PDB file of all heavy atoms in Angstrom:
ATOM      1  N   ARG A  28       2.125   9.878   0.957  1.00 97.00           N
ATOM      2  CA  ARG A  28       2.879  11.112   1.140  1.00 97.00           C
ATOM      3  C   ARG A  28       4.326  10.807   0.765  1.00 97.00           C
ATOM      4  O   ARG A  28       4.829   9.723   1.061  1.00 97.00           O
ATOM      5  CB  ARG A  28       2.794  11.533   2.611  1.00 97.00           C
ATOM      6  CG  ARG A  28       3.663  12.712   2.970  1.00 97.00           C
ATOM      7  CD  ARG A  28       3.598  13.000   4.476  1.00 97.00           C
ATOM      8  NE  ARG A  28       4.843  13.672   4.899  1.00 97.00           N
ATOM      9  CZ  ARG A  28       4.990  15.003   4.918  1.00 97.00           C
ATOM     10  NH1 ARG A  28       3.992  15.798   4.609  1.00 97.00           N
ATOM     11  NH2 ARG A  28       6.145  15.526   5.284  1.00 97.00           N
ATOM     12  N   ALA A  29       4.975  11.761   0.122  1.00 98.00           N
ATOM     13  CA  ALA A  29       6.390  11.570  -0.215  1.00 98.00           C
ATOM     14  C   ALA A  29       7.097  12.918  -0.200  1.00 98.00           C
ATOM     15  O   ALA A  29       6.499  13.948  -0.539  1.00 98.00           O
ATOM     16  CB  ALA A  29       6.527  10.930  -1.591  1.00 98.00           C
ATOM     17  N   VAL A  30       8.348  12.892   0.217  1.00 98.00           N
ATOM     18  CA  VAL A  30       9.216  14.068   0.124  1.00 98.00           C
ATOM     19  C   VAL A  30      10.430  13.644  -0.692  1.00 98.00           C
ATOM     20  O   VAL A  30      11.066  12.632  -0.382  1.00 98.00           O
ATOM     21  CB  VAL A  30       9.660  14.565   1.520  1.00 98.00           C
ATOM     22  CG1 VAL A  30      10.501  15.835   1.385  1.00 98.00           C
ATOM     23  CG2 VAL A  30       8.458  14.818   2.418  1.00 98.00           C
ATOM     24  N   THR A  31      10.708  14.383  -1.760  1.00 98.00           N
ATOM     25  CA  THR A  31      11.792  14.003  -2.672  1.00 98.00           C
ATOM     26  C   THR A  31      12.646  15.226  -3.009  1.00 98.00           C
ATOM     27  O   THR A  31      12.264  16.363  -2.713  1.00 98.00           O
ATOM     28  CB  THR A  31      11.226  13.452  -4.003  1.00 98.00           C
ATOM     29  OG1 THR A  31      10.433  14.485  -4.609  1.00 98.00           O
ATOM     30  CG2 THR A  31      10.388  12.209  -3.790  1.00 98.00           C
ATOM     31  N   SER A  68      13.216  20.614  -3.768  1.00 97.00           N
ATOM     32  CA  SER A  68      12.626  19.635  -2.848  1.00 97.00           C
ATOM     33  C   SER A  68      11.116  19.705  -3.018  1.00 97.00           C
ATOM     34  O   SER A  68      10.551  20.801  -3.088  1.00 97.00           O
ATOM     35  CB  SER A  68      12.958  19.983  -1.395  1.00 97.00           C
ATOM     36  OG  SER A  68      14.344  20.122  -1.266  1.00 97.00           O
ATOM     37  N   THR A  69      10.487  18.553  -3.064  1.00 98.00           N
ATOM     38  CA  THR A  69       9.039  18.499  -3.299  1.00 98.00           C
ATOM     39  C   THR A  69       8.344  17.610  -2.275  1.00 98.00           C
ATOM     40  O   THR A  69       8.811  16.508  -2.006  1.00 98.00           O
ATOM     41  CB  THR A  69       8.764  17.979  -4.730  1.00 98.00           C
ATOM     42  OG1 THR A  69       9.299  18.934  -5.647  1.00 98.00           O
ATOM     43  CG2 THR A  69       7.282  17.793  -5.003  1.00 98.00           C
ATOM     44  N   THR A  70       7.257  18.114  -1.726  1.00 98.00           N
ATOM     45  CA  THR A  70       6.410  17.332  -0.818  1.00 98.00           C
ATOM     46  C   THR A  70       5.068  17.119  -1.495  1.00 98.00           C
ATOM     47  O   THR A  70       4.483  18.069  -2.017  1.00 98.00           O
ATOM     48  CB  THR A  70       6.199  18.099   0.513  1.00 98.00           C
ATOM     49  OG1 THR A  70       7.482  18.348   1.086  1.00 98.00           O
ATOM     50  CG2 THR A  70       5.359  17.295   1.493  1.00 98.00           C
ATOM     51  N   LEU A  71       4.634  15.876  -1.531  1.00 98.00           N
ATOM     52  CA  LEU A  71       3.359  15.560  -2.181  1.00 98.00           C
ATOM     53  C   LEU A  71       2.516  14.716  -1.224  1.00 98.00           C
ATOM     54  O   LEU A  71       2.985  13.701  -0.723  1.00 98.00           O
ATOM     55  CB  LEU A  71       3.646  14.801  -3.487  1.00 98.00           C
ATOM     56  CG  LEU A  71       2.479  14.597  -4.454  1.00 98.00           C
ATOM     57  CD1 LEU A  71       2.991  14.499  -5.880  1.00 98.00           C
ATOM     58  CD2 LEU A  71       1.655  13.375  -4.115  1.00 98.00           C
ATOM     59  N   GLU A  72       1.308  15.182  -0.970  1.00 98.00           N
ATOM     60  CA  GLU A  72       0.403  14.454  -0.068  1.00 98.00           C
ATOM     61  C   GLU A  72      -0.923  14.191  -0.759  1.00 98.00           C
ATOM     62  O   GLU A  72      -1.536  15.123  -1.293  1.00 98.00           O
ATOM     63  CB  GLU A  72       0.097  15.314   1.167  1.00 98.00           C
ATOM     64  CG  GLU A  72       1.209  15.369   2.168  1.00 98.00           C
ATOM     65  CD  GLU A  72       0.939  16.423   3.231  1.00 98.00           C
ATOM     66  OE1 GLU A  72       0.806  17.612   2.863  1.00 98.00           O
ATOM     67  OE2 GLU A  72       0.843  16.042   4.394  1.00 98.00           O
ATOM     68  N   ARG A 115      -1.814  17.415  -2.862  1.00 98.00           N
ATOM     69  CA  ARG A 115      -1.308  18.724  -2.489  1.00 98.00           C
ATOM     70  C   ARG A 115       0.204  18.675  -2.690  1.00 98.00           C
ATOM     71  O   ARG A 115       0.873  17.832  -2.097  1.00 98.00           O
ATOM     72  CB  ARG A 115      -1.649  18.999  -1.013  1.00 98.00           C
ATOM     73  CG  ARG A 115      -1.189  20.352  -0.519  1.00 98.00           C
ATOM     74  CD  ARG A 115      -1.554  20.598   0.939  1.00 98.00           C
ATOM     75  NE  ARG A 115      -2.997  20.497   1.156  1.00 98.00           N
ATOM     76  CZ  ARG A 115      -3.605  19.538   1.829  1.00 98.00           C
ATOM     77  NH1 ARG A 115      -2.926  18.573   2.388  1.00 98.00           N
ATOM     78  NH2 ARG A 115      -4.915  19.533   1.970  1.00 98.00           N
ATOM     79  N   VAL A 116       0.702  19.563  -3.576  1.00 98.00           N
ATOM     80  CA  VAL A 116       2.122  19.531  -3.928  1.00 98.00           C
ATOM     81  C   VAL A 116       2.763  20.842  -3.510  1.00 98.00           C
ATOM     82  O   VAL A 116       2.203  21.920  -3.746  1.00 98.00           O
ATOM     83  CB  VAL A 116       2.310  19.365  -5.465  1.00 98.00           C
ATOM     84  CG1 VAL A 116       3.791  19.302  -5.825  1.00 98.00           C
ATOM     85  CG2 VAL A 116       1.581  18.134  -5.980  1.00 98.00           C
ATOM     86  N   SER A 117       3.923  20.771  -2.875  1.00 97.00           N
ATOM     87  CA  SER A 117       4.662  22.018  -2.650  1.00 97.00           C
ATOM     88  C   SER A 117       6.136  21.782  -2.951  1.00 97.00           C
ATOM     89  O   SER A 117       6.700  20.728  -2.623  1.00 97.00           O
ATOM     90  CB  SER A 117       4.426  22.560  -1.245  1.00 97.00           C
ATOM     91  OG  SER A 117       5.309  21.987  -0.344  1.00 97.00           O
ATOM     92  N   SER A 118       6.749  22.748  -3.646  1.00 96.00           N
ATOM     93  CA  SER A 118       8.148  22.638  -4.086  1.00 96.00           C
ATOM     94  C   SER A 118       8.922  23.871  -3.691  1.00 96.00           C
ATOM     95  O   SER A 118       8.375  24.987  -3.704  1.00 96.00           O
ATOM     96  CB  SER A 118       8.216  22.525  -5.610  1.00 96.00           C
ATOM     97  OG  SER A 118       7.899  21.230  -6.022  1.00 96.00           O
ATOM     98  N   GLN A 119      10.199  23.650  -3.351  1.00 94.00           N
ATOM     99  CA  GLN A 119      11.101  24.782  -3.062  1.00 94.00           C
ATOM    100  C   GLN A 119      12.391  24.587  -3.833  1.00 94.00           C
ATOM    101  O   GLN A 119      12.912  23.469  -3.883  1.00 94.00           O
ATOM    102  CB  GLN A 119      11.493  24.817  -1.569  1.00 94.00           C
ATOM    103  CG  GLN A 119      10.513  25.509  -0.658  1.00 94.00           C
ATOM    104  CD  GLN A 119       9.437  24.562  -0.198  1.00 94.00           C
ATOM    105  OE1 GLN A 119       9.692  23.385   0.012  1.00 94.00           O
ATOM    106  NE2 GLN A 119       8.214  25.053  -0.068  1.00 94.00           N
ATOM    107  N   ALA A 137      11.800  15.960  -9.470  1.00 98.00           N
ATOM    108  CA  ALA A 137      11.378  15.764  -8.072  1.00 98.00           C
ATOM    109  C   ALA A 137       9.887  15.426  -8.001  1.00 98.00           C
ATOM    110  O   ALA A 137       9.459  14.584  -7.201  1.00 98.00           O
ATOM    111  CB  ALA A 137      11.683  17.018  -7.253  1.00 98.00           C
ATOM    112  N   LEU A 138       9.092  16.078  -8.852  1.00 98.00           N
ATOM    113  CA  LEU A 138       7.644  15.826  -8.863  1.00 98.00           C
ATOM    114  C   LEU A 138       7.332  14.395  -9.318  1.00 98.00           C
ATOM    115  O   LEU A 138       6.492  13.710  -8.712  1.00 98.00           O
ATOM    116  CB  LEU A 138       6.948  16.827  -9.797  1.00 98.00           C
ATOM    117  CG  LEU A 138       5.444  16.595  -9.994  1.00 98.00           C
ATOM    118  CD1 LEU A 138       4.676  16.871  -8.700  1.00 98.00           C
ATOM    119  CD2 LEU A 138       4.901  17.460 -11.131  1.00 98.00           C
ATOM    120  N   ALA A 141       8.170  12.005  -6.578  1.00 98.00           N
ATOM    121  CA  ALA A 141       7.229  12.141  -5.459  1.00 98.00           C
ATOM    122  C   ALA A 141       5.885  11.495  -5.800  1.00 98.00           C
ATOM    123  O   ALA A 141       5.284  10.796  -4.972  1.00 98.00           O
ATOM    124  CB  ALA A 141       7.038  13.617  -5.112  1.00 98.00           C
ATOM    125  N   GLU A 348      11.409  10.896   2.226  1.00 95.00           N
ATOM    126  CA  GLU A 348      10.359  10.350   3.084  1.00 95.00           C
ATOM    127  C   GLU A 348       9.314   9.684   2.199  1.00 95.00           C
ATOM    128  O   GLU A 348       8.986  10.208   1.132  1.00 95.00           O
ATOM    129  CB  GLU A 348       9.708  11.541   3.816  1.00 95.00           C
ATOM    130  CG  GLU A 348       8.950  11.185   5.063  1.00 95.00           C
ATOM    131  CD  GLU A 348       8.186  12.406   5.565  1.00 95.00           C
ATOM    132  OE1 GLU A 348       8.804  13.477   5.729  1.00 95.00           O
ATOM    133  OE2 GLU A 348       6.969  12.277   5.748  1.00 95.00           O
TER     134      GLU A 348
END
Side-chain angles (χ1 to χ4, degrees):
R28 173 184 154 91
V30 183
T31 60
S68 306
T69 296
T70 302
L71 191 152
E72 284 170 300
R115 181 179 302 111
V116 181
S117 86
S118 282
Q119 276 86 35
L138 175 68
E348 200 189 308

